[in-house]
Every structure is written in C-alpha cells, then in structure tokens.
Amino acid sequence: MNSRTLERASYGTLIAGVIAALAHALVTSSVAGDVLYGVGAVVVASAAILSARVNTPDVRVWGGLLIIGVLSAASQVLADPDLGVRAHFLAEVLSLSVQVVLVLGLLVVAQRRIGREPLGVLADSAIVALGAWLVCWILLLRPLLETSTDGAATVTLRGIALSAAVIVLLVLATLLFGDAENGPVVWLASGAIVASLIGDVLWAVHDAALAEIATSLRNAPYVLALFAAAATLLHPTISNLAAQGPYQSARPMAWRLVTVTSGLVVPLAVFAITDAQDTRDRVVRSTAVIVLACAVLARVILAVRSNAVLQQRLVTSAQTDALTGLPNRSLMLEHVDTALRTAWRDGRQPAVLFIDVDRFKNINDSLGHAAGDDVLMAVAGRLRVVLPDYCVVGRIAGDEFVVLDPRASGPGDAMLLADRVLESFHEPLALRQGDVFVSASIGVSTYRPSVTNSADDLLRHADTAMYRAKESGRNCVAIFDESMLESVTQRLAVETALYRALERRELRLVHQPIIDVSLGEVVGFEALMRWDREDGSTVSPAEFIPIAEETGTIVPIGAWALLEALTHLSEWIAGGWCPRDATMAVNVSPRQLSDPNFVNVVSEALTRAHIPARQLWLEVTENVMISQPDQALAALTKLGDLGVRVAIDDFGTGYSSLSLLQRFPIHRLKIDRSFVAGVADKPDARALVRTIIAMCDSLGLDTVAEGVESVHQLHTLGELRCAKAQGYLISHPVPPEQMASTVALLSDIGAWPRIRNPRV
Ligand code: C2E
Ligand code: MG
Ligand code: MG
C-alpha cells in the first residue's frame, strides 16, 4: 500500500469520524450509540494492526497509542451509569492511567520537537494549562465535589484525572507552540486528544449538575477521538511522530500570543465574576492565581532575557568577521577610537598596522576559494600568536587585516611590531592542502594629534602607507607620512579624469620613427600616447598608463590607440610619405592581453585601416610572460596566426628567462635604453648589447636599439650589426601631422652621412 493511499485512508477515516460523532450526538437511541462506539473501537483496532504492518511506526508511539486505546475503551465501558460505584471507581483509575500514558507519550514527542526556545515554550504552555485548571476548578471540580453521588475516593480520582488532563493540555500546547514543523500526524493526534478532553469536560459538566447534557452528546467526542486516533495511526507520517523533524522557518507567534493571552484572560475573568464558596475554595483559588502570576512573571523575565541575549548576539555578529571571528571594520574603529581617546592620559601614540596579504588573488585563483579561506584563517591565527595580548587584531576586508597597538609610544615601537609580523610569515602556513608561503605588505601609522583627527584617519593613513609598501615591491613595511596623502589625492584625481579622457578627446598619439641602421631609412614607427589635460598640462604615459592598467581603462584606451595608429600609418602610406611596407609598433599592456576580446580588436583595427597584419608590431614587456604566461601565450599565438608580430619592449630590464623567449611567439627584441646609453663608452654595456644581438641573430629575431641619443651610440650599434634603432638622435616622437616632414628630413641624403659617420 503506497503512502498516497494511506494518506487518503487516514483523511477518509477522520471524515467518517466526524459523521459518526455527529450521528452519535443526534441519535438518542443508546443501541445506535453503542454500535457507533463499537465501530469506532473496531476501526482503531484495525488501523493499529494495519499501521503496525505498513507504517512501521516507532514502537513506543505505537505501543503508547494501543495502550491508550484499550484503556480508554475499558474506562468508557465501566463508566456506564447503570454500573455500580466500584465500576465507576475502576473507570476513573483507567481514565487517570490514560492521562498518565498520554502525558508520557507526549513528553517524548514534545522534548524532541520543542526547538530553540524550550523554556519560553514551557512557560507559555504552563500559563495556558494553569489557566485551564483554574477554570476547571471553579466551574467543574468544586461543584463536582459537592454534587457527585459517587464515593469521595472516586470524586477525588476524577479531580486528579481532570487535573492530569490539564497536564496533557500543557504538553500538547508545548508541542504545538514549539519550533518544529507539525505535520498532519501531529494535528490528527492532537485532534484525538482534544476531542477526548472535550468528552471529559462534558461529562464533568453534567456530573457537576451544571447543565443537563444527553449521554449521546457527552459520548460523541469520544467517538470522534476514536476515529481521529485511527486516522493518526493510518497516516503514513506516523513513523516520524517521535522524530526530531525540521524547524519552521517562520514561527507562528501570532496564534501563540492569542492562545496564551486568552489562557490568561479567560480564567481571570471567571475568577473575577465568581465568588469563593468556602475556605477550601478560597485557598485553592488564591493558590492557583498566585501560581499563575508566578508563571506569567517567569515568562516576562524569560522574554526580556532572551531579547537581551538576541540583541547581544546581533551586535556581536554585526561587529565580527564570520570567517575568522575577528572584529570587523566597525568594531576595529571603535577600538581605535577608544585608544585615541585615552592616549593623551599616558602620552602614548596608538599605532595601526594595515596588513594586506600579497597576491592573495593568485592563491584564490590557483588553489580555490576554500584554500583562500584557510589562508585567511591561518593568517588570523598567526597574527594572534605573534602579537602581544594587548594588541587588537581585526579583519576589515578580503585579505586586509588591521592591528591596533594601543600602547605604542612612537613610530619605533610600531615598526618593531610590523617587522615581527613580516618575520612571522617566513614560516609557511600549514593548510589542509599543504604548506603555503605568503608574504604581506604592511602600512603603519601612529597617532599624531596634528594629523590624526579620528580613528578613521589613523586607519586610512595606515592603508595609504600599505599601498606605498605594495608599490615598493611588496613584502615590506612602509610608515605613513603626509606627503603620501598628496600623492593619493593626486592619483585619485588622475583616475577620475582618465576615465573621461577618451570621450573628451584628450588623448592623442605621437610617433617615433624607427630606422634601418645600415641603410639609414625609416622602416617603421612606434606609437606613443599623450594625454593633454584640461589644465593645459601633458601627462606622460609612464604616469597614466599604470593607472589605466590598474583601473581597467587601458582596455578601451588601448583599442583606440591601435586603430588610431594604424589609421595614421595608412594615411602616410597613401600620401607616399613613407615606404609601402613601413610598420607601426603599438604598445600593449598585460591587461589588454588578458581581455578575451583583444584578438578581435586587433584584427578589426587592421581591417578598418586596410593594413596587412605583418605591418603591425605589438610591443609587450617581459613581465607579461611571467605574470600571466598562459593567457599571454594564448593571445599572442592567436595574433601570430593572424600574421601580427610581437616585440619584447625594454628587453633586459625584466625578469624573463631565456626559455620564455623560446616558448612565446616573439619576433623582435627592443634593447632597453639603459644598455644603449653605455654602448659607446662602457665596455660592459657594449658586451651586453653585443650578446643580445648575437642571440637575436641565432634565434632569427629582429633587434631594435631604443633611446639612441648620440651619433657615437648609433655608430657603435652599426658596428655591432644592430638591425634597427630609434631615439632622440633620429627623431623625438612627433605628432602625426609632422611625420611627413620628419621622414623627408631623415631621407635627405645630405643629413644621413653626418649621422652614419660622426666625423662628417
Ligand atoms: P616605450 O614603449 O619603451 O617607449 C619608449 C619611450 O622612450 C617613450 O617614452 C619615448 O618617448 C622615450 N624615448 C624615445 N627615444 C628616447 C631617447 O632617445 N631618450 C630617452 N631618454 N627616451 C626616449 P614615453 O612616450 O614617455 O612612453 C613611456 C612608456 O609608456 C612607453 O615605453 C610604453 O611602455 C608606455 N606607453 C606609451 N604609449 C603607450 C600606449 O599607447 N599603450 C601602452 N600600453 N603603453 C604605452
Ligand atoms: Mg614601446
Ligand atoms: Mg621601450
């Protein structure tokens, strides 16, 4: 039998139960009533047997329900008014046993489902149960004690059973108020219990002579209870009744509030409008009210306390970093603020170290984010170990840690501390993935009343100094001084202005001719960018290209430069101002090479300018091959396939290995001007240049000497058989409109021999 069928059978049984109960209430014939009751008992028994076979519920649940069923049925039979006092006494014993079993069973279920706030739930349930008991006492128990014809023992038992029913109510309320998601089976079981409690109440009302209630009506809830119990047994989720179960995402606070409030208001109203009948009544009523008041008081205290705890937890979680458990930026600022406020008292100069893990992005990219997290936790751990206890360590962003030394007495102390931190990273971090070495760049700032106005200032200054440490090659410490602020402000202004430079047409290209050393003819040009700012100043590319590179603006700017340079070349060729096969060299930054669209940009520029790919040289620096070898290799190979050639710019100043020259599709080396400067008069420089040229020869690479400034240099380069040269001697970079005259001047036969032969 599948669960869908069982579910249907369960709900069908419940509906049958409602109909049977209604029929029982309406039909006064006792025979018909007994038949319905009997059917109910048979249904429960059959459901129990079926459930045991197909649902395999928890043995305790199943056994408990079975005992309750048998005991209730027996108690009902014995409670027949026609039977004697003894039978009634036995019926009460059985009824009490049912309550006890119920309480025990419910306790098992409730303690697993009560959830995150057990005390609060218990207190709420206690209020409801106590209130119900007070009403029960005033309206039922006390009159029952006076009017019942049964013996005192039976009546007392009845009172105890009714009170036990209140405990059932308490545990039931606990279950329903709890955090667990209450599936249909919990509601069905609760329905059965509540129906039977209603039956008990109706009987008690009748027996206490409060109202004349027909037997058929009094027993109807029990019929419903039987069917509901059967429905509970049949429901397929009964197997999970005693299981822990998931918690509800939203807690049903509203209905809980309504129930608890009515559980408080109704008994107090009943208490107020009824008078105590005798001393015993007065004592019981007063005691009940006092206990109720205590429960309410406990509830209020609990609510206030749990609110305070919650608030504290919220504050803590808002101020700590979830990964490392260290204070976050806002808490660090509070700590720094407190340190600054008390600094004047003992003449201290609180210091802040701003620590940034070097190349953390590489760790994340190569080892994955989980390893990245592990590194951050290990760094946090290392900082805690290496720093004195009075220092506060915080993590304020990704890989940025901040240390506050509230007791520093000057920059010297702070530098010592920073050195200690740097040194601590000489030992590898032991991660799950293996040992990892990291280094850090540290910025230090100490409190000085003349420059530090706030905690934020101190942190910002340390941050600025950290950037200086990064610029100085990482893995070092830099201490803040005011001049850094100026350069930061200036840099920020440049960044913003550069962003708009392209659309404001503030960028332009100048070109420097490249000549064939042996022929003295112009064979190509290098395009160099210039930025004319609004204020009339011209910014050097050495200054703005690194910023454009860092901010990513280089991608659109570089694309523009490519097209512009090729368009110029195309115009010069068309104008007959330079040879048809003259080449154009364009500088390319690493960021451009890692742009997936770069190859398209290049080929589109070639097409638009009608320049064959072989006439374009792309100049990259050696560092491109080291910092992102795979991306660079992929892009350069694709460009090589197009026919575009690649030159290594400033060769000899980077850190490339000769093996990279073999791996990468390179066609030209440009000898850096620092070597060319000494080529004429420094034997070492000359030896180096000679070696580079020899290497290029054997590898089949073209050579260009950069920065040729004197006739001597050019002469020596000629002797060393350097293929090409560029430099101020030949021509400064010139605007495109001056190129025709520049090339014409350079081709002037009269001018050239003077260059080739310094003595002429
Ligand atoms: P680079 O590619 O090595 O360019 C040569 C630099 O040396 C140019 O400086 C040029 O004006 C200068 N120079 C040429 N001849 C001589 C000489 O005889 N003596 C001296 N002392 N210098 C000489 P510039 O124009 O300031 O460019 C600097 C660097 O900026 C370039 O070095 C290049 O790396 C970069 N750059 C320039 N334009 C661009 C561009 O459009 N894109 C990219 N990514 N970088 C560019
Ligand atoms: Mg260049
Ligand atoms: Mg260069």
Side-chain angles (χ1 to χ4, degrees):
M1 205 180 278
N2 68 19
S3 62
R4 191 92 203 104
T5 322
L6 277 172
E7 213 178 311
R8 274 199 213 120
S10 162
Y11 294 137
T13 310
L14 185 67
I15 294 168
V18 174
I19 296 169
L22 282 174
H24 194 288
L26 296 175
V27 178
T28 40
S29 141
S30 68
V31 180
D34 287 348
V35 168
L36 282 172
Y37 204 86
V39 171
V42 171
V43 168
V44 172
S46 323
I49 293 164
L50 191 64
S51 176
R53 293 187 60 179
V54 290
N55 279 332
T56 54
D58 191 319
V59 180
R60 286 167 302 176
V61 175
W62 194 83
L65 284 171
L66 196 70
I67 295 173
I68 289 168
V70 172
L71 292 182
S72 312
S75 143
Q76 290 304 312
V77 172
L78 290 171
D80 193 318
D82 299 340
L83 297 177
V85 174
R86 273 197 175 178
H88 288 178
F89 179 75
L90 214 57
E92 290 310 329
V93 170
L94 292 180
S95 164
L96 184 60
S97 319
V98 168
Q99 310 292 13
V100 170
V101 177
L102 252 181
V103 167
L104 293 177
L106 280 172
L107 273 177
V108 171
V109 177
Q111 59 114 355
R112 299 206 174 186
R113 295 174 152 260
I114 192 160
R116 292 166 284 214
E117 194 213 337
L119 283 179
V121 171
L122 263 176
D124 279 354
S125 314
I127 292 171
V128 173
L130 277 168
W133 192 85
L134 185 58
V135 174
C136 191
W137 166 261
I138 295 174
L139 298 183
L140 298 176
L141 282 178
R142 206 201 42 79
L144 200 65
L145 285 177
E146 276 174 14
T147 54
S148 180
T149 50
D150 287 327
T154 310
V155 174
T156 313
L157 261 184
R158 189 94 184 264
I160 294 171
L162 268 172
S163 306
V166 168
I167 297 174
V168 170
L169 197 66
L170 174 124
V171 192
L172 192 65
T174 313
L175 182 64
L176 300 180
F177 285 160
D179 278 335
E181 261 179 30
N182 293 316
V185 77
V186 171
W187 290 109
L188 285 171
S190 309
I193 294 168
V194 170
S196 108
L197 287 181
I198 291 174
D200 290 350
V201 170
L202 291 181
W203 270 93
V205 167
H206 176 84
D207 290 352
L210 290 171
E212 187 66 35
I213 301 173
T215 319
S216 58
L217 190 60
R218 270 178 280 157
N219 281 337
Y222 293 121
V223 174
L224 179 61
L226 283 174
F227 277 86
T232 311
L233 283 164
L234 283 177
H235 203 278
T237 56
I238 190 164
S239 329
N240 311 328
L241 185 61
Q244 218 126 26
Y247 288 151
Q248 287 157 303
S249 45
R251 296 156 119 193
M253 290 309 284
W255 92 264
R256 183 164 151 186
L257 196 70
V258 169
T259 319
V260 176
T261 315
S262 13
L264 193 63
V265 172
V266 173
L268 289 181
V270 172
F271 180 84
I273 56 175
T274 53
D275 291 327
Q277 302 297 312
D278 50 28
T279 317
R280 183 183 59 183
D281 191 17
R282 204 164 292 122
V283 170
V284 172
R285 284 164 66 114
S286 314
T287 317
V289 169
I290 290 169
V291 175
L292 192 59
C294 289
V296 172
L297 193 69
R299 183 67 190 104
V300 171
I301 292 172
L302 274 173
V304 170
R305 250 206 356 219
S306 84
N307 237 346
V309 169
L310 203 71
Q311 221 166 10
Q312 185 54 42
R313 219 178 282 159
L314 271 178
V315 170
T316 315
S317 82
Q319 293 199 316
T320 47
D321 163 44
L323 179 69
T324 56
L326 294 177
N328 66 7
R329 186 186 185 87
S330 84
L331 188 54
M332 264 333 267
L333 278 172
E334 271 180 32
H335 283 302
V336 176
D337 196 49
T338 315
L340 294 189
R341 278 173 202 284
T342 50
W344 60 271
R345 269 204 314 241
D346 34 18
R348 303 212 175 258
Q349 279 184 273
V352 164
L353 315 188
F354 201 106
I355 304 168
D356 187 285
V357 180
D358 291 334
R359 300 202 172 82
F360 181 69
K361 191 176 172 303
N362 284 2
I363 297 175
N364 251 348
D365 290 349
S366 53
L367 300 176
H369 285 259
D373 284 354
D374 288 354
V375 166
L376 293 175
M377 285 195 281
V379 168
R382 175 95 20 122
L383 289 175
R384 276 204 206 97
V385 170
V386 79
L387 292 165
D389 287 344
Y390 57 81
C391 285
V392 189
V393 184
R395 175 175 170 238
I396 62 165
D399 60 343
E400 292 170 354
F401 293 84
V402 162
V403 173
L404 165 71
D405 177 0
R407 298 193 195 166
S409 52
D413 281 359
M415 287 303 276
L416 279 179
L417 203 65
D419 281 339
R420 207 195 292 181
V421 172
L422 264 198
E423 224 165 83
S424 76
F425 287 120
H426 292 172
E427 287 291 312
L429 302 174
L431 306 187
R432 282 172 297 177
Q433 297 82 354
D435 284 0
V436 170
F437 277 97
V438 296
S439 65
S441 303
I442 306 180
V444 176
S445 72
T446 47
Y447 172 64
R448 274 182 298 149
S450 55
V451 267
T452 325
N453 292 321
S454 64
D456 199 43
D457 274 356
L458 198 61
L459 217 67
R460 201 157 37 83
H461 293 166
D463 188 4
T464 308
M466 187 278 290
Y467 268 98
R468 183 54 59 86
K470 283 250 183 255
E471 280 166 13
S472 317
R474 300 184 165 95
N475 192 20
C476 59
V477 183
I479 188 151
F480 173 79
D481 73 69
E482 280 118 300
S483 68
M484 289 180 185
L485 276 187
E486 267 166 45
S487 65
V488 168
T489 323
Q490 200 183 335
R491 192 193 148 98
L492 205 68
V494 172
E495 259 178 41
T496 326
L498 186 59
Y499 197 69
R500 309 208 176 282
L502 192 58
E503 53 188 65
R504 288 189 185 165
R505 297 175 179 274
E506 291 175 352
L507 296 176
R508 65 186 166 90
L509 290 183
V510 291
H511 299 271
Q512 190 172 37
I514 297 172
I515 58 157
D516 182 306
V517 175
S518 58
L519 303 174
E521 286 171 9
V522 173
V523 289
F525 310 88
E526 177 174 5
L528 297 160
M529 216 183 283
R530 295 291 177 266
W531 177 19
D532 300 321
R533 295 196 59 179
E534 261 177 337
D535 57 8
S537 62
T538 299
V539 190
S540 148
E543 201 178 310
F544 72 83
I545 294 286
I547 299 175
E549 164 88 352
E550 213 169 280
T551 53
T553 344
I554 191 68
V555 174
I557 288 180
W560 166 83
L562 250 166
L563 181 61
E564 184 83 349
L566 291 175
T567 312
H568 288 162
L569 179 66
S570 163
E571 283 166 11
W572 299 335
I573 292 173
W577 300 320
C578 70
R580 294 201 69 77
D581 58 354
T583 58
M584 178 58 76
V586 181
N587 293 285
V588 171
S589 294
R591 183 81 171 244
Q592 286 173 274
L593 276 187
S594 56
D595 173 25
N597 203 27
F598 183 63
V599 180
N600 289 340
V601 167
V602 173
S603 81
E604 204 174 301
L606 287 167
T607 317
R608 284 178 64 181
H610 304 293
I611 295 288
R614 273 197 74 73
Q615 283 173 248
L616 172 64
W617 283 96
L618 295 180
E619 296 192 0
V620 298
T621 54
E622 292 162 87
N623 301 339
V624 165
M625 301 187 288
I626 300 168
S627 63
Q628 33 187 308
D630 297 333
Q631 279 162 309
L633 183 61
L636 294 180
T637 311
K638 278 191 207 149
L639 288 164
D641 293 344
L642 285 180
V644 175
R645 288 175 294 174
V646 177
I648 299 288
D649 207 350
D650 308 335
F651 183 76
T653 56
Y655 303 98
S656 67
S657 70
L658 294 179
S659 74
L660 286 175
L661 291 182
Q662 227 180 7
R663 244 181 91 200
F664 278 77
I666 288 155
H667 308 89
R668 171 187 274 179
L669 296 189
K670 294 188 79 173
I671 305 169
D672 189 66
R673 36 168 213 274
S674 54
F675 305 118
V676 174
V679 77
D681 40 25
K682 290 199 179 122
D684 286 358
R686 187 183 312 188
L688 249 169
V689 173
R690 181 183 288 122
T691 312
I692 295 175
I693 294 171
M695 183 180 72
C696 285
D697 272 349
S698 57
L699 289 174
L701 302 180
D702 190 31
T703 38
V704 177
E706 290 188 287
V708 181
E709 292 184 353
S710 76
V711 177
H712 271 101
Q713 289 166 356
L714 185 64
H715 185 68
T716 316
L717 287 167
E719 281 175 2
L720 294 175
R721 306 204 167 281
C722 179
K724 299 185 178 82
Q726 68 182 100
Y728 293 165
L729 173 72
I730 299 145
S731 166
H732 276 263
V734 295
E737 54 279 8
Q738 276 180 34
M739 193 46 88
S741 57
T742 306
V743 175
L745 189 73
L746 287 170
S747 340
D748 182 351
I749 295 295
W752 184 235
R754 265 188 281 128
I755 297 173
R756 269 204 298 190
N757 184 346
R759 280 179 294 274
V760 176

